[in-house]
Amino acid sequence: MISSVRGEVLSVGLDHAVVEVGGVGFAVQATPATLATLRRGEQVRLHTALVVREDSLTLFGFADEEARELFGLLQTVSGIGPRLALATLAVLEPDKLRAALVEGNITVLTQVPGIGRKGAERLSLELRDKVTALGATGEVPVVSAPGALRAEVVEALAGLGFPAKQAEQAVDRVLAEGDGHTTSSVLRAALAMLGRKR
């Protein structure tokens, strides 16, 4: 199990980053919020989870241990694979996700594209007791300039499969609602908005 990687960021894509560790470039899948904190040429340390399949080895990276723990926990529920677990963490911050699971807040859980009412109920039922054991997050939000932030979030949404026009409209609506936005907060709000339209 590769539980963390530390090294230079060689490139940052829409859904992954390449981190060089000891001369080897590891492709690490991550949420748009995590990718937004990475800069090419800078040193980074990511907590990781290696998912082994018959035909692939995929490395998923997280800014903190709590997010990695939740990622693993989500996959213990039937019907939740690594992609859907990562999408859940892209939409909901660890604290918000944990609160929704404990309270059985179906409305919050169904904001994640791909999770319907039954799936949300199953998530809450199976994970309610397990998530209370996880600690609080110490993640520091990253604030970007409005123009850069808009472009970043639109690009991330396009990478998740949303049409560019639809992504731009959702991001503009979120940004119009107030200031003090971070990349991750705008992304979550836009995803929630787009999820309701589907």
Side-chain angles (χ1 to χ4, degrees), residues 45-61:
R45 179 170 188 261
L46 293 173
H47 298 275
T48 57
L50 181 65
V51 175
V52 181
R53 294 280 183 264
E54 261 181 46
D55 57 348
S56 68
L57 293 172
T58 311
L59 201 57
F60 292 87

Side-chain angles (χ1 to χ4, degrees), residues 44-120:
V44 69
R45 179 170 188 261
L46 293 173
H47 298 275
T48 57
L50 181 65
V51 175
V52 181
R53 294 280 183 264
E54 261 181 46
D55 57 348
S56 68
L57 293 172
T58 311
L59 201 57
F60 292 87
F62 307 92
D64 55 64
E65 274 187 81
E66 186 194 12
R68 182 184 63 190
E69 297 298 323
L70 280 168
F71 175 75
L73 207 53
L74 286 165
Q75 291 175 77
T76 63
V77 178
S78 172
I80 306 285
R83 296 280 170 207
L84 194 49
L86 196 66
T88 304
L89 290 167
V91 177
L92 303 171
E93 279 180 351
D95 282 348
K96 192 173 180 183
L97 173 59
R98 197 169 52 245
L101 291 168
V102 171
E103 296 161 11
N105 192 332
I106 306 306
T107 309
V108 170
L109 295 172
T110 53
Q111 286 176 2
V112 180
I115 295 183
R117 186 168 184 83
K118 281 186 178 176

Side-chain angles (χ1 to χ4, degrees), residues 4-23:
S4 71
V5 294
R6 185 173 65 189
E8 184 186 335
V9 179
L10 297 182
S11 66
V12 181
L14 293 173
D15 61 353
H16 74 285
V18 178
V19 180
E20 185 176 26
V21 182

